[in-house]
Amino acid sequence: MADHATSSTVDLRLRILAVSLEPSLALARIMALPLDDLQQLVTDGYFRELRLRGQSLRQISRRMGKSLRTVATLSKRSQEKGPLLDESRRLGWQRAVIRATSQQACTVDELRALGGVEDHRVEEELEQMVASGLLEVEDERYRVAVVHVSFAREETDARLESLRHFLTTVAHVVYRRFFRPEPNAEAFARVLSFSAEPQTLSALRARYYEALRDSVIETDSEASDEAPQGSVVFAAVTTPTDLAWSGR
């Protein structure tokens, strides 16, 4: 009985991890990211997570089940290249397309001349870039979507850090609810799905977020120095219905 319970616990944790990965896999699907590139992102990210926890290369080798030589290669790549998959041929071509179409609208033939992917796949790749929101097409000419080139570097970095903070809090909730529940620890999670006009949803978000923010500021000012840290995730979104999220 104990072995069965232990096995069930391990299996449950793996299922929790699989469910947690689904949003990232959906975004990878929207980007049409090749499996090799996705696996490299996971490998590099896992290595950095372990390294940030202070583990040595030998400890990481044991944790990842990889040779010390492989882990040393990961360490070198992490230090030299960062997280952008610079060696990915397909992503390199997408970057070239973004640069070209940010200067002027381009035809398929003009973008085919950039090289980097097989000629017969160019139109399919461009269609995917349009579907994922990277490009816009009008009169058979492609131009980069304005939303993707209007962010200054500083603003983009700040938005990514905000995303990291948001998702870290989500991870904390999952950990508290499934991995380490404690009687006196808060780990509440609910999603309310409903119909609403965009302006009504915006007004609802503004009204309740402002009230919550004011309450949080007041609570923080009244807390003792020994009080534990807490986080509240507040989100409001109009469910996307474009091609990326709709059924085929």
Side-chain angles (χ1 to χ4, degrees):
M1 179 67 72
D3 289 344
H4 175 71
T6 301
S7 176
S8 297
T9 300
V10 172
D11 291 343
L12 175 59
R13 289 190 168 195
L14 289 174
R15 290 174 62 191
I16 292 167
L17 178 60
V19 171
S20 300
L21 287 172
E22 287 179 6
S24 297
L25 295 177
L27 295 176
R29 183 257 307 165
I30 291 170
M31 294 173 61
L33 195 65
L35 182 59
D36 287 346
D37 290 346
L38 179 61
Q39 289 176 327
Q40 183 178 319
L41 282 174
V42 172
T43 301
D44 291 349
Y46 193 28
F47 170 82
R48 286 176 183 164
E49 174 68 18
L50 296 172
R51 199 63 166 149
L52 286 172
R53 292 294 175 180
Q55 295 196 15
S56 67
L57 295 186
R58 190 170 298 279
Q59 289 173 318
I60 294 174
S61 173
R62 289 196 295 268
R63 175 66 66 87
M64 298 182 76
K66 295 295 183 180
S67 69
L68 191 58
R69 176 179 293 183
T70 297
V71 171
T73 300
L74 291 177
S75 178
K76 182 178 180 181
R77 186 167 71 196
S78 177
Q79 294 172 12
E80 289 180 352
K81 292 189 175 180
L84 295 180
L85 291 170
D86 289 338
E87 71 278 18
S88 170
R89 179 181 176 188
R90 181 172 177 275
L91 295 181
W93 180 81
Q94 288 191 355
R95 295 185 189 107
V97 169
I98 293 295
R99 284 194 297 270
T101 56
S102 65
Q103 298 170 3
Q104 62 180 14
C106 299
T107 65
V108 172
D109 289 338
E110 289 170 335
L111 295 175
R112 183 177 286 112
L114 294 175
V117 297
E118 295 86 347
D119 285 352
H120 67 277
R121 289 184 50 216
V122 169
E123 292 188 56
E124 177 186 347
E125 294 289 341
L126 290 174
E127 179 182 346
Q128 178 59 45
M129 292 179 72
V130 171
S132 64
L134 284 171
L135 296 178
E136 298 170 343
V137 58
E138 184 177 356
D139 296 331
E140 297 185 349
R141 300 183 72 88
Y142 294 86
R143 184 184 298 277
V144 69
V146 175
V147 67
H148 288 281
V149 296
S150 60
F151 298 143
R153 171 80 183 187
E154 294 79 7
E155 182 181 352
T156 300
D157 289 345
R159 290 166 71 100
L160 288 174
E161 185 56 37
S162 293
L163 175 62
R164 180 177 290 111
H165 190 192
F166 178 86
L167 294 178
T168 297
T169 300
V170 172
H172 290 169
V173 174
V174 173
Y175 177 74
R176 283 292 191 189
R177 287 177 67 86
F178 291 100
F179 287 72
R180 178 102 20 135
E182 295 180 14
N184 297 322
E186 184 69 37
F188 181 86
R190 295 291 186 277
V191 176
L192 305 176
S193 298
F194 55 96
S195 300
E197 298 295 339
Q199 62 272 21
T200 304
L201 180 60
S202 296
L204 186 70
R205 181 265 306 162
R207 182 166 70 251
Y208 286 102
Y209 173 72
E210 289 170 5
L212 177 61
R213 180 193 58 198
D214 293 343
S215 296
V216 165
I217 293 173
E218 180 181 356
T219 300
D220 183 68
S221 65
E222 295 175 350
S224 66
D225 293 338
E226 293 78 25
Q229 185 76 33
S231 297
V232 175
V233 173
F234 182 91
V237 63
T238 301
T239 303
T241 56
D242 59 20
L243 188 59
W245 294 100
S246 62
R248 297 280 178 164

